Amino acid sequence: MAKHPAGWGVALLHNKRWLLPLLVALSVSTALAFILRAAFDSSCDRHHFEVPKTRFHPATGTGAGAAAPSPLGFMKSKHVLLVSHELSLSGGPLLLMELAFLLRGVGAEVCWITNQKPSERDEVVHSLEHKMLGRGVQVLSAKGQEAVDRALKADLVVLNTAVAGKWLDAVLKENVPRVLPKVLWWIHEMRGHYFKTEYLKHLPMVAGAMIDSHVTAEYWKNRTQERLKIKMPQTYVVHLGNSKELMDVAEDNIAKRVLREHVRESLGVTNEDIVFALINSVSRGKGQDLFLRAFYESLQLIQEQKLQVPSLHAVIVGSDITAQTKFESELRDFVAQKKIQNRVHFVNKTLTVAPYLAAIDVLVQNSQARGECFGRITIEAMAFQLPVLGTSAGGTTEIVVNGSTGLLHPIGKEGVTPLAKNIVKLATHVERRLTMGKRGYERVKSMFLERHMAHRIDAVLKEVLRKAKNRHS
């Protein structure tokens, strides 16, 4: 990044009240700014498509800041319909929104449909729809003739998540066969209850399926065959990538320092304290309960071994203050029972993760069962040079290099003690913590940036459109 003028950092430090909203505003888009990357090795079966490894070529031009042309330029004037099962702050809808913005950026005509919307006005839905309209994305009703007309007219239809499959029969009805050849089905789910005929009966006939990790793709291949006796269509593995907006914040040391001071001050944490954070929606599947058990166990280990370490803190980002669940009540009860209220901090769910990534020292990715399909917060944390303590399941194993960029532990109760020990390891070895963080950042720079991803999604869309055209003709 360009150097800031002299005195800029001092001025920022004395104006934290207005600075945080400014930097947060810059980072809001990062929650939506994920371009895609697809890669599949030769060991995959013939239903999987290997995306060619193209090299990123900078744009021609004389200026040092000349931007690279988008490889998605071929989508100019194409008609794209995006169908999401819901519109929320969860990963699937946000990723689909980013795809909408990418396509709008190259001149595609993009329409958005949300299949399931709350009956009453919802501020989150209203805000996200307003954001899309402001970027030129048309927002349509999920039902009615206009939705059918748009689907028939579209060059590409993207169904986001397995549940979105219900929209096909409910709305298109007799037109389903005409639309299937141009459907790209983007799947993020890892849980077994999504494998229902009502969701997936049309899956084998679509132009392709796009899945966030190799592990998830293999799981879907096996599960659809075993449970539904159907074959997956041609499948593209698409790893996610960090946006330029997030990387700009992550690489700006002044911005990070001010964000760190502000957030830590709001939490009552000093600069010397070591902060471990789990940033995810609060639910049993994300493993906040097991993380807190491991955190408490780590405090006991430090006390028993009489280790000299700074004060340790745990932060749970993803609470819902307005609708506290039974599970979250259990978390708070555990904290009170163990008398660690001064060390555990609950933060309401937010789109703006950058301030918290700047403020913490270690990210904990503790998703249970089959783990995360990918887990974009992991690569975001690595961009901020944070080591990751993750479960050895799902897409996390494709991101975190165990022993190099972080440490992995088993899922379930068996992972509590190993996670506790890993917490102690990183708390007591500053150099190891910093080295892992730097290696994670280098891995992001080499694999998980938007410039890498743009060429991969380019290859996927070109292949899907080619197939759609051939089937139509």
Side-chain angles (χ1 to χ4, degrees):
M1 292 185 63
K3 291 184 178 179
H4 301 290
W8 188 81
V10 176
L12 292 184
L13 291 172
H14 289 289
N15 290 277
K16 286 188 284 187
R17 270 190 159 178
W18 63 262
L19 173 67
L20 185 67
L22 175 63
L23 291 176
V24 165
L26 290 174
S27 67
V28 166
S29 61
T30 65
L32 302 173
F34 301 106
I35 309 177
L36 313 171
R37 179 185 187 210
F40 223 98
D41 59 36
S42 58
S43 64
C44 301
D45 71 20
R46 59 188 175 88
H47 294 289
H48 295 262
F49 174 75
E50 185 172 359
V51 180
K53 297 180 179 178
T54 53
R55 181 178 295 276
F56 178 78
H57 297 286
T60 58
T62 56
S70 171
L72 296 173
F74 73 96
M75 291 296 293
K76 183 178 180 180
S77 301
K78 298 287 187 184
H79 294 264
V80 182
L81 178 64
L82 306 178
V83 182
S84 182
H85 74 291
E86 67 176 11
L87 189 52
S88 68
L89 300 183
S90 57
L94 295 181
L95 288 169
L96 193 64
M97 283 182 66
E98 178 53 27
L99 179 59
F101 298 154
L102 290 173
L103 294 173
R104 280 296 301 142
V106 297
E109 182 178 325
V110 183
C111 295
W112 177 285
I113 282 175
T114 303
N115 193 34
Q116 300 173 0
K117 293 178 67 173
S119 56
E120 299 180 357
R121 177 185 169 94
D122 183 281
E123 289 304 320
V124 171
V125 172
H126 177 74
S127 175
L128 294 177
E129 286 186 341
H130 182 73
K131 182 179 289 290
M132 285 193 286
L133 289 169
R135 300 283 289 272
V137 178
Q138 301 175 57
V139 178
L140 307 178
S141 170
K143 301 178 181 179
Q145 189 59 41
E146 186 177 15
V148 177
D149 292 343
R150 292 287 183 165
L152 293 174
K153 181 182 179 181
D155 298 292
L156 175 70
V157 177
V158 180
L159 295 181
N160 195 42
T161 73
V163 182
K166 294 177 68 176
W167 178 83
L168 293 170
D169 286 318
V171 177
L172 298 183
K173 299 178 182 177
E174 68 273 8
N175 291 302
V176 169
R178 296 173 60 187
V179 175
L180 289 180
K182 52 187 177 182
V183 169
L184 175 63
W185 206 321
W186 199 358
I187 295 172
H188 313 283
E189 296 92 341
M190 283 281 274
R191 288 175 287 180
H193 65 263
Y194 290 104
F195 291 86
K196 296 181 179 179
T197 302
E198 62 178 306
Y199 299 154
L200 305 175
K201 65 180 180 180
H202 298 300
L203 181 59
M205 283 79 75
V206 302
M210 194 158 66
I211 298 181
D212 299 344
S213 66
H214 301 278
V215 173
T216 310
E218 191 65 21
Y219 171 69
W220 269 81
K221 171 193 163 186
N222 295 332
R223 189 72 180 227
T224 51
Q225 178 63 44
E226 295 168 2
R227 185 161 182 171
L228 301 178
K229 307 303 179 186
I230 64 175
K231 285 187 177 182
M232 289 290 291
Q234 198 163 28
T235 301
Y236 311 84
V237 170
V238 178
H239 285 158
L240 310 181
N242 283 333
S243 69
K244 181 180 183 300
E245 289 85 353
L246 183 130
M247 295 303 297
D248 282 348
V249 178
E251 294 175 338
D252 189 326
N253 290 329
I254 296 176
K256 284 198 299 182
R257 184 169 72 248
V258 176
L259 287 171
R260 179 181 177 90
E261 291 178 0
H262 185 99
V263 172
R264 283 185 169 237
E265 181 180 346
S266 70
L267 295 174
V269 176
T270 71
N271 191 52
E272 292 73 28
D273 296 339
I274 304 176
V275 179
F276 295 79
L278 197 159
I279 304 176
N280 229 319
S281 57
V282 172
S283 66
R284 204 171 299 278
K286 302 301 182 181
Q288 285 90 355
D289 54 341
L290 300 178
F291 165 51
L292 289 179
R293 285 174 56 183
F295 179 73
Y296 176 69
E297 191 171 312
S298 72
L299 298 177
Q300 291 180 306
L301 289 172
I302 289 171
Q303 186 176 12
E304 290 169 3
Q305 299 175 22
K306 298 180 180 179
L307 301 174
Q308 297 298 314
V309 296
S311 180
L312 269 58
H313 291 258
V315 177
I316 304 292
V317 180
S319 299
D320 190 341
I321 296 174
T322 60
Q324 195 174 116
T325 63
K326 179 183 177 183
F327 177 68
E328 186 167 337
S329 296
E330 291 175 7
L331 299 181
R332 294 176 185 268
D333 289 344
F334 175 83
V335 171
Q337 177 189 352
K338 299 301 182 182
K339 296 181 173 56
I340 52 175
Q341 297 96 320
N342 62 329
R343 292 179 179 266
V344 178
H345 313 271
F346 293 89
V347 176
N348 206 32
K349 59 185 179 181
T350 176
L351 275 175
T352 56
V353 298
Y356 297 97
L357 293 174
I360 67 176
D361 300 292
V362 180
L363 179 81
V364 178
Q365 177 61 281
N366 205 42
S367 294
Q368 299 298 305
R370 297 174 186 87
E372 287 287 331
C373 184
F374 183 81
R376 68 185 185 275
I377 190 65
T378 306
I379 59 173
E380 291 178 320
M382 290 162 64
F384 278 77
Q385 300 193 33
L386 300 176
V388 177
L389 299 180
T391 46
S392 53
T396 303
T397 62
E398 297 174 24
I399 305 171
V400 178
V401 180
N402 190 32
S404 177
T405 67
L407 298 170
L408 300 178
H409 57 274
I411 58 172
K413 296 179 181 178
E414 294 77 11
V416 170
T417 296
L419 175 56
K421 292 180 178 178
N422 288 342
I423 290 173
V424 174
K425 284 179 185 177
L426 294 192
T428 53
H429 294 86
V430 178
E431 285 303 318
R432 185 176 191 182
R433 191 169 71 237
L434 296 176
T435 299
M436 283 184 168
K438 290 176 182 177
R439 288 174 180 164
Y441 169 77
E442 292 166 0
R443 184 166 169 80
V444 163
K445 293 285 281 188
S446 66
M447 296 181 65
F448 300 118
L449 293 179
E450 67 182 27
R451 69 183 188 193
H452 306 125
M453 313 310 154
H455 283 280
R456 302 304 194 259
I457 192 62
D458 158 67
V460 172
L461 295 187
K462 280 180 178 174
E463 176 69 9
V464 169
L465 289 174
R466 182 189 64 78
K467 290 178 62 180
K469 183 177 180 180
N470 290 343
R471 289 174 68 174
H472 181 72
S473 58

